[in-house]
Every structure is written in structure tokens, then in C-alpha cells.
Amino acid sequence: AQSVTQLDSQVPVFEEAPVELRCNYSSSVSVYLFWYVQYPNQGLQLLLKYLSGSTLVKGINGFEAEFNKSQTSFHLRKPSVHISDTAEYFCAVVLSHGQNFVFGPGTRLSVLP
Amino acid sequence: EPEVTQTPSHQVTQMGQEVILRCVPISNHLYFYWYRQILGQKVEFLVSFYNNEISEKSEIFDDQFSVERPDGSNFTLKIRSTKLEDSAMYFCASSDGSARGADTQYFGPGTRLTVL
């Protein structure tokens, strides 16, 4: 079965600083990878996804993620964060032939002024 | 932009009572899902639904749970006899099914269920 690890439960960072949120997964078969963001009192919103092709994926709000097959990682990055990026970020995988997402535990990003 | 909606936003119930959580998926979507998130824990898959039947379900989705699409727009999750451990945020999601596992699932804002 697949699993997803997000090692950092909380990441505080100052405004305009760069940030990296880490995601590692384990699966014996090929998967698709997703990052979702959850703003306070809202549902999950897709940031970006990796299906195939270029390992660097660009998403909304200036976020990008890089798929690294050898390290089974899909870390999320942003070169300069804003206060409005404060939210919970979830990494998720789904089997290439499947449907249901397996989510990581989430990373709470707090952007400080 | 079309979005998934869920009602109510917060439901409080007594242990042993039945609850129905409601979702209106995006109108042209074909796949529907329920997930839950117990406070402080990760989002967990419960069930997926396609063509008026369950296509996948997790071990969490036992006989106490059922799903239904009673009309052309609503998708419901029923918990027959709630337990304290059912307290969680329940998310509905939908996808258009065009790309199977590569589908983007669109999530609703969630219903917070509190069982007393």
C-alpha cells in the first residue's frame, strides 16, 4: 500500500523568505502526486500535480514542486512567501490506475510579518 | 468557477443517532468521494462512487456508513448510529473522470461532525 510522509508538521517562515515543504512517498507501483492547500475554514484546493513528463511542476500562487523518483520525493517550494500563504499544505498520491487519494499528515505553514 | 458545496457546515448529534451529510458536486462530474479528517490527523479516504454504485471503499467505511445519490445533484453520506469516534471533518469531492487516477478532485469546504 502507498503511504505519504510529511516530516515537518509546522513550518514558520518570515514574509518574502523562501520555503520548502517536504513530501516523501512509498509505493511499489507508479503513482500520481498532488499538493493541496487548505486555507482556514475552507476546503482543499489543488496547488499542482505531477502526472508525467518534466519533473518540475509549476502550480498556482507561485508554487512549484519537483518530482524525484530515486528519492521518492515531491517537495513543494516557493521562492518568496506572502502572509496570505499561511495555510495547511497536504501532499497526496494516487495509484496511476486508481482513484482514492492517500494524503500525508499535512504541514502547517505560518508566514510571519 | 463551479465548486463543491456541503451542508451543514457543522452538525452536532448525540451518540447513537443517525446523521446525513449532504454534498452538491460539480454538475458535470461523474466521480464522487467522501473523505474524513479527525482533528489533528490526516485526511483519510472513505469511499468513491460512480455510476450509482460504490467503486472503492476503505476499511473505515463499514456497515454503519452508506452513500447515495438520491437525485441528479445531491450526494449524501449517512452514518446510521454515530459513535464518539465518528467526530471529524467530512469532505466531499468530485472529479470529471476523464483521466482516472490523474483526475483533479475538487473538494468541498467540509462538514464538521461532533458526536456527544
Side-chain angles (χ1 to χ4, degrees):
Chain A
Q2 328 75 285
S3 66
V4 179
T5 305
Q6 292 180 250
L7 288 174
D8 306 304
S9 59
Q10 294 188 57
V11 173
V13 63
F14 286 107
E15 195 173 16
E16 297 183 11
V19 72
E20 179 179 81
L21 307 183
R22 295 180 291 170
C23 171
N24 289 86
Y25 69 94
S26 67
S27 176
S28 56
V29 297
S30 63
V31 296
Y32 298 125
L33 296 148
F34 297 75
W35 274 99
Y36 277 83
V37 59
Q38 184 180 27
Y39 298 105
N41 301 315
Q42 294 186 30
L44 298 163
Q45 180 183 356
L46 179 71
L47 272 179
L48 47 79
K49 62 183 179 182
Y50 173 78
L51 306 180
S52 65
S54 172
T55 56
L56 183 64
V57 180
K58 292 191 185 298
I60 62 170
N61 301 339
F63 283 93
E64 62 181 33
E66 184 149 25
F67 170 60
N68 187 318
K69 189 173 181 180
S70 62
Q71 296 187 7
T72 60
S73 67
F74 191 53
H75 300 333
L76 181 71
R77 295 192 290 257
K78 186 169 182 178
S80 175
V81 294
H82 302 291
I83 298 282
S84 58
D85 292 323
T86 294
E88 188 94 19
Y89 291 80
F90 294 94
C91 182
V93 303
V94 60
L95 294 179
S96 56
H97 63 275
Q99 291 175 279
N100 56 294
F101 283 0
V102 174
F103 282 90
T107 297
R108 181 168 299 278
L109 174 65
S110 298
V111 181
L112 311 169
Chain B
E1 186 175 326
E3 57 183 21
V4 176
T5 60
Q6 290 184 244
T7 54
S9 56
H10 192 186
Q11 172 93 45
V12 181
T13 190
Q14 295 290 326
M15 191 168 58
Q17 295 296 305
E18 173 183 286
V19 294
I20 297 176
L21 310 184
R22 291 183 167 80
C23 168
V24 178
I26 294 173
S27 62
N28 63 338
H29 284 184
L30 302 176
Y31 285 83
F32 314 111
Y33 312 83
W34 283 101
Y35 292 81
R36 79 169 185 193
Q37 184 181 28
I38 294 171
L39 189 64
Q41 299 185 26
K42 61 183 176 182
V43 178
E44 301 171 289
F45 169 75
L46 292 178
V47 65
S48 60
F49 191 85
Y50 170 72
N51 200 26
N52 278 323
E53 58 184 31
I54 291 172
S55 49
E56 279 185 70
K57 61 181 182 177
S58 71
E59 300 134 4
I60 303 167
F61 194 87
D62 61 23
D63 291 343
Q64 293 296 314
F65 292 91
S66 62
V67 289
E68 195 178 30
R69 189 152 160 82
D71 52 43
S73 57
N74 290 284
F75 178 52
T76 62
L77 174 70
K78 182 193 291 186
I79 309 175
R80 271 183 257 287
S81 177
T82 50
K83 310 186 198 67
L84 294 176
E85 54 265 36
D86 293 327
S87 294
M89 181 74 91
Y90 288 81
F91 292 106
C92 174
S94 69
S95 67
D96 64 14
S98 59
R100 193 69 176 165
D103 273 1
T104 294
Q105 293 184 22
Y106 294 84
F107 285 78
T111 292
R112 181 166 296 286
L113 176 65
T114 301
V115 182
L116 304 175

